[in-house]
Amino acid sequence: MGVQEDIRKLEEEIKNTQYNKATQKHIGKLKSKLAKLREESQNPSGSGGSSGPAYAIRKTGDATVAFVGFPSVGKSTLLNKLTNANSEVGAYAFTTLTIIPGLMEHKGAKIQVLDAPGIISGASFGRGRGSEVLAAVRNVDLIMVIVDVFSPEHIPVIERELSNVGIRLDQIPPEVKIAKRDRGGVAVNTTLPLSKIDEDTVVAILGEYKIHNADIVIRDDVDADQLIDSVMGNRSYIPTLVIINKIDLADQESLDIMEGAVHDRPHVFVSGHKEINLEELKDKIFETLGFIKLYLKPQGKKADMKDPLIILKNSTVRDVCNKLHRDFVKNFRYAQVWGPSAKHPGQRVGLDHVLGDGDILSIVVKKAGQ
């Protein structure tokens, strides 16, 4: 209980400290200590871990999405209706005790859907093996926060638990680069004015992580939390879709209250049991993931314009190589691109080139023996 008690004390001190120019450095140091303690609480050294099986899923398909919610909100029913999975369904808590995958095919995309065990408040600190469940969804492409129509108050609880294990919902990584060096102190370089923290706070936060000599380049107007995330370097940035289930049981007042809670973010109202709006849910998953189409052109041949490759937006040539064949990256020579992402037709690009919707791609690899 020692670490959790320290976490609670730090949270209380941060909450009770008025934020201003005079206190921002102090608050930045407190938040750094809090982040380190949370990390420690989830990965206690020498603990040997839980006695139960670890949750590990091999990603397949064009994208992986996961249901995250409290017990008995209908995750298993929705998984069974959307995919080929067979997740046990029961109207009582903790029916699902392992992470169960299913495959949903929609608009040419194959989407792996994970049904995770229900979490509870305090999950990020290990309650109900919650920290393991949450850690297992760190690498998905979309988190589907699922609640029943009568429980809008569960949404911020789920979001807080995800945040506590380093998952940043609906955010993009801040542009911060830190290059450690042997001497010379900390040199802070910014490409725009910082309105939320000053240079002293930046230096103090780095000092909490024993970084006393470094060049740091900041290209976003970051706050203390974003800088800490950049220093720790192990955060997951994942979009969300809120699914409101069991609408067949709700009156108009309950629907209106829930709509008010989610109106400013991607969401869909469904009933897994009555199969209401399930096609709309599939469309919303596809849309929120942001798929694009890529056409492959074998070297010296015409592009296949009839059967596009479905990939996630912001995918690179490296991502496509990994998707096509495990040896393509190792044997990669260069690629050529025609389309929106190319500066000119047939542009030669490397593995880190970001592809656009409708691009034509030709990959050239070393031949055997080269």
Side-chain angles (χ1 to χ4, degrees):
M1 287 298 292
V3 173
Q4 291 189 32
E5 184 60 33
D6 290 342
I7 287 172
R8 276 191 283 271
K9 286 180 180 177
L10 281 170
E11 288 175 335
E12 195 67 23
E13 186 174 353
I14 292 168
K15 180 181 172 183
N16 293 331
T17 303
Q18 186 175 358
Y19 185 86
N20 54 47
K21 279 281 186 184
T23 62
Q24 67 170 239
K25 179 179 175 181
H26 176 63
I27 291 174
K29 294 176 76 170
L30 291 176
K31 287 184 172 183
S32 299
K33 291 174 181 174
L34 178 60
K36 288 193 291 185
L37 282 175
R38 281 177 175 158
E39 190 91 351
E40 182 185 333
S41 73
Q42 290 145 23
N43 303 289
S45 58
S47 68
S50 168
S51 58
Y55 297 111
I57 293 290
R58 184 173 66 86
K59 293 176 72 173
T60 63
D62 301 311
T64 299
V65 304
F67 290 119
V68 177
F70 276 54
S72 302
V73 292
K75 299 187 298 296
S76 299
T77 298
L78 279 173
L79 181 79
N80 293 339
K81 295 291 173 69
L82 294 177
T83 76
N84 57 0
N86 183 21
S87 184
E88 186 179 348
V89 177
Y92 50 89
F94 300 107
T95 306
T96 306
L97 298 175
T98 58
I99 290 183
I100 297 170
L103 190 67
M104 180 181 90
E105 297 194 36
H106 191 62
K107 295 184 177 179
K110 294 179 179 178
I111 302 169
Q112 183 183 40
V113 185
L114 306 181
D115 174 19
I119 65 166
I120 54 179
S121 183
S124 53
F125 299 119
R127 290 190 63 198
R129 296 191 67 202
S131 58
E132 294 172 68
V133 175
L134 295 173
V137 302
R138 285 179 62 99
N139 296 318
V140 302
D141 302 299
L142 173 68
I143 287 178
M144 299 184 290
V145 175
I146 178 169
V147 294
D148 74 45
V149 70
F150 303 108
S151 305
E153 71 279 3
H154 285 176
I155 297 172
V157 176
I158 295 166
E159 291 174 337
R160 184 176 67 245
E161 298 298 337
L162 290 165
S163 178
N164 285 347
V165 296
I167 297 173
R168 299 293 174 257
L169 303 177
D170 301 314
Q171 298 181 33
I172 58 172
E175 280 203 62
V176 177
K177 295 286 184 280
I178 302 169
K180 296 180 185 178
R181 54 187 183 181
D182 295 331
R183 60 182 68 86
V186 173
V188 181
N189 300 287
T190 63
T191 60
L192 75 176
L194 298 181
S195 65
K196 300 160 189 169
I197 52 175
D198 57 22
E199 190 168 316
D200 285 345
T201 304
V202 173
V203 173
I205 288 172
L206 292 182
E208 286 294 320
Y209 292 90
K210 296 183 169 53
I211 302 173
H212 303 294
N213 301 286
D215 289 315
I216 177 168
V217 179
I218 303 174
R219 294 190 173 89
D220 283 325
D221 187 14
V222 297
D223 58 22
D225 295 307
Q226 290 173 306
L227 179 59
I228 290 165
D229 286 345
S230 298
V231 175
M232 297 194 76
N234 61 354
R235 302 320 197 195
S236 296
Y237 296 83
I238 306 175
T240 59
L241 172 64
V242 180
I243 300 173
I244 302 98
N245 195 20
K246 304 185 181 180
I247 61 170
D248 55 305
L249 304 177
D251 56 19
Q252 191 59 49
E253 183 181 5
S254 297
L255 293 169
D256 290 343
I257 291 171
M258 183 59 85
E259 178 62 43
V262 298
H263 72 279
D264 59 345
R265 56 192 301 176
H267 65 275
V268 59
F269 286 80
V270 304
S271 168
H273 180 63
K274 296 286 188 179
E275 300 189 8
I276 300 171
N277 293 342
L278 295 193
E279 284 304 310
E280 182 184 342
L281 173 56
K282 291 178 181 180
D283 288 341
K284 206 75 175 179
I285 292 170
F286 186 93
E287 172 192 323
T288 310
L289 281 166
F291 285 111
I292 62 174
K293 292 180 179 180
L294 179 73
Y295 301 93
L296 297 178
K297 180 183 181 301
Q299 193 176 11
K301 298 181 181 179
K302 290 185 177 181
D304 180 3
M305 304 303 291
K306 291 183 178 179
D307 189 17
L309 187 69
I310 304 294
I311 59 174
L312 292 169
K313 62 184 176 183
N314 299 321
S315 291
T316 62
V317 173
R318 184 190 307 274
D319 295 326
V320 174
C321 286
N322 284 327
K323 191 181 183 77
L324 295 174
H325 195 284
R326 63 183 181 183
D327 291 334
F328 271 19
V329 171
K330 182 175 68 175
N331 297 323
F332 181 84
R333 287 180 61 202
Y334 64 89
Q336 286 181 278
V337 179
W338 294 259
S341 76
K343 293 179 181 176
H344 54 80
Q347 179 190 357
R348 277 201 181 199
V349 299
L351 288 168
D352 294 327
H353 179 80
V354 178
L355 297 159
D357 188 24
D359 274 350
I360 296 171
L361 176 68
S362 180
I363 299 170
V364 179
V365 297
K366 298 171 189 173
K367 294 179 181 176
Q370 282 188 326

